[in-house]
Amino acid sequence: MKTVEELLAGYALNDGEICSLKLEVNYTANNSSLRQAALEVLIRKEATRGKWVPCLLKIHMAGVQRIVISEDFAMSRYSDVVFKTLEEGKYYLSFDPCGNSGEPHENDNLVFIASSVSVEESIIQDRF
Protein backbone atom coordinates (compact mmCIF):
# COMPACT_ATOMS: atom_id res chain seq x y z
CA MET A 1 0.00 0.00 0.00
CA LYS A 2 1.35 3.41 -0.98
CA THR A 3 1.36 6.27 1.47
CA VAL A 4 -0.43 9.50 0.71
CA GLU A 5 2.96 11.15 0.33
CA GLU A 6 3.93 8.63 -2.37
CA LEU A 7 0.58 9.07 -4.14
CA LEU A 8 0.89 12.86 -4.18
CA ALA A 9 4.62 13.31 -4.79
CA GLY A 10 5.04 16.36 -7.03
CA TYR A 11 1.50 17.70 -6.50
CA ALA A 12 0.27 20.59 -4.33
CA LEU A 13 -3.22 19.59 -3.21
CA ASN A 14 -3.98 22.72 -1.18
CA ASP A 15 -5.59 25.83 -2.72
CA GLY A 16 -7.48 23.81 -5.29
CA GLU A 17 -10.92 23.42 -6.76
CA ILE A 18 -13.27 20.45 -6.63
CA CYS A 19 -14.44 19.92 -10.22
CA SER A 20 -16.53 16.78 -9.71
CA LEU A 21 -17.62 14.34 -7.03
CA LYS A 22 -19.21 10.98 -7.82
CA LEU A 23 -20.43 8.49 -5.25
CA GLU A 24 -21.31 4.93 -6.17
CA VAL A 25 -22.75 1.96 -4.30
CA ASN A 26 -23.07 -1.41 -6.03
CA TYR A 27 -24.77 -4.32 -4.30
CA THR A 28 -23.40 -7.80 -4.86
CA ALA A 29 -25.32 -11.09 -5.05
CA ASN A 30 -24.76 -11.75 -1.33
CA ASN A 31 -26.22 -8.31 -0.50
CA SER A 32 -22.95 -6.68 0.49
CA SER A 33 -22.09 -3.32 -0.98
CA LEU A 34 -19.10 -1.94 -2.85
CA ARG A 35 -18.84 1.76 -2.02
CA GLN A 36 -16.67 4.11 -4.04
CA ALA A 37 -16.01 7.83 -4.42
CA ALA A 38 -14.30 9.59 -7.30
CA LEU A 39 -13.19 13.20 -7.12
CA GLU A 40 -11.58 15.43 -9.71
CA VAL A 41 -9.64 18.34 -8.30
CA LEU A 42 -7.89 21.17 -10.10
CA ILE A 43 -4.56 21.59 -8.34
CA ARG A 44 -0.92 22.37 -9.17
CA LYS A 45 1.91 20.03 -10.03
CA GLU A 46 5.61 20.67 -10.15
CA ALA A 47 6.57 20.71 -13.84
CA THR A 48 10.19 21.59 -13.19
CA ARG A 49 12.00 22.48 -10.01
CA GLY A 50 10.12 25.46 -8.56
CA LYS A 51 7.69 25.83 -11.49
CA TRP A 52 4.11 24.84 -10.78
CA VAL A 53 1.41 24.37 -13.44
CA PRO A 54 -2.35 23.62 -13.25
CA CYS A 55 -3.25 19.95 -13.20
CA LEU A 56 -6.46 17.92 -12.97
CA LEU A 57 -6.05 15.04 -10.54
CA LYS A 58 -8.53 12.17 -10.22
CA ILE A 59 -8.75 10.64 -6.76
CA HIS A 60 -10.45 7.22 -6.67
CA MET A 61 -11.43 5.89 -3.26
CA ALA A 62 -12.66 2.30 -2.86
CA GLY A 63 -14.06 0.61 0.19
CA VAL A 64 -15.53 3.90 1.39
CA GLN A 65 -16.46 3.51 5.03
CA ARG A 66 -17.51 7.02 5.90
CA ILE A 67 -18.51 10.25 4.16
CA VAL A 68 -19.29 13.48 6.01
CA ILE A 69 -20.72 16.30 3.90
CA SER A 70 -22.46 19.34 5.35
CA GLU A 71 -22.16 21.78 2.49
CA ASP A 72 -24.18 24.32 0.52
CA PHE A 73 -21.81 23.95 -2.46
CA ALA A 74 -21.77 27.71 -3.00
CA MET A 75 -18.08 27.53 -3.89
CA SER A 76 -15.99 24.72 -5.30
CA ARG A 77 -12.66 26.20 -4.22
CA TYR A 78 -10.92 25.12 -1.04
CA SER A 79 -7.76 26.32 0.68
CA ASP A 80 -6.81 23.59 3.11
CA VAL A 81 -6.89 19.82 2.97
CA VAL A 82 -6.01 16.87 5.18
CA PHE A 83 -5.05 13.71 3.31
CA LYS A 84 -3.46 11.04 5.50
CA THR A 85 -2.99 7.35 5.96
CA LEU A 86 -4.52 6.47 9.33
CA GLU A 87 -2.92 4.03 11.77
CA GLU A 88 -5.35 1.26 10.86
CA GLY A 89 -4.35 1.55 7.18
CA LYS A 90 -7.37 3.53 6.01
CA TYR A 91 -7.13 6.74 4.01
CA TYR A 92 -8.59 9.99 5.36
CA LEU A 93 -9.38 12.95 3.09
CA SER A 94 -11.01 16.23 4.15
CA PHE A 95 -11.38 19.32 1.97
CA ASP A 96 -12.75 21.43 4.84
CA PRO A 97 -10.68 20.58 7.92
CA CYS A 98 -11.32 22.19 11.29
CA GLY A 99 -8.48 24.28 12.71
CA ASN A 100 -5.91 23.81 9.93
CA SER A 101 -3.88 21.41 12.10
CA GLY A 102 -3.11 18.98 9.30
CA GLU A 103 -4.63 16.19 11.39
CA PRO A 104 -8.09 14.57 11.24
CA HIS A 105 -10.60 16.24 13.57
CA GLU A 106 -14.13 15.23 14.55
CA ASN A 107 -15.46 18.58 13.22
CA ASP A 108 -13.88 18.25 9.75
CA ASN A 109 -16.21 18.55 6.77
CA LEU A 110 -16.15 17.08 3.26
CA VAL A 111 -14.58 13.94 4.75
CA PHE A 112 -13.96 10.63 2.96
CA ILE A 113 -12.54 7.56 4.72
CA ALA A 114 -11.71 4.56 2.52
CA SER A 115 -9.68 1.37 2.53
CA SER A 116 -7.85 2.13 -0.73
CA VAL A 117 -6.96 5.14 -2.83
CA SER A 118 -5.49 5.65 -6.27
CA VAL A 119 -4.68 8.89 -8.04
CA GLU A 120 -4.15 9.64 -11.69
CA GLU A 121 -3.49 12.76 -13.63
CA SER A 122 -6.07 13.74 -16.21
CA ILE A 123 -6.33 16.17 -19.07
CA ILE A 124 -7.73 19.60 -18.26
CA GLN A 125 -10.71 20.16 -20.52
CA ASP A 126 -11.77 23.62 -21.63
CA ARG A 127 -14.13 24.59 -18.81
CA PHE A 128 -15.63 27.68 -20.45
Side-chain angles (χ1 to χ4, degrees):
M1 175 169 58
K2 289 187 177 183
T3 65
V4 171
E5 291 78 18
E6 291 170 323
L7 290 170
L8 297 177
Y11 297 98
L13 197 57
N14 60 323
D15 296 322
E17 181 178 352
I18 299 172
C19 298
S20 72
L21 165 61
K22 296 177 185 174
L23 305 175
E24 184 176 342
V25 178
N26 293 313
Y27 292 94
T28 62
N30 63 359
N31 221 16
S32 63
S33 62
L34 304 170
R35 298 173 299 259
Q36 301 179 72
L39 298 103
E40 288 183 324
V41 290
L42 184 60
I43 59 168
R44 293 166 288 132
K45 76 171 188 173
E46 192 168 25
T48 58
R49 187 172 175 100
K51 179 170 170 69
W52 296 85
V53 296
C55 170
L56 189 64
L57 194 68
K58 290 184 178 182
I59 303 171
H60 301 276
M61 303 185 87
V64 173
Q65 298 172 359
R66 184 164 189 204
I67 297 174
V68 177
I69 299 176
S70 176
E71 187 65 41
D72 63 6
F73 297 101
M75 294 184 60
S76 61
R77 298 212 41 93
Y78 62 90
S79 61
D80 200 11
V81 65
V82 173
F83 199 2
K84 298 189 70 126
T85 307
L86 301 174
E87 287 181 16
E88 57 272 7
K90 296 179 183 108
Y91 291 93
Y92 182 97
L93 173 61
S94 171
F95 288 103
D96 188 11
C98 178
N100 299 332
S101 69
E103 295 295 325
H105 189 278
E106 65 184 26
N107 293 329
D108 287 354
N109 188 24
L110 289 172
V111 173
F112 302 86
I113 300 174
S115 58
S116 69
V117 172
S118 64
V119 297
E120 66 181 275
E121 196 172 316
S122 184
I123 297 171
I124 299 176
Q125 300 291 327
D126 183 12
R127 298 177 52 199
F128 303 101

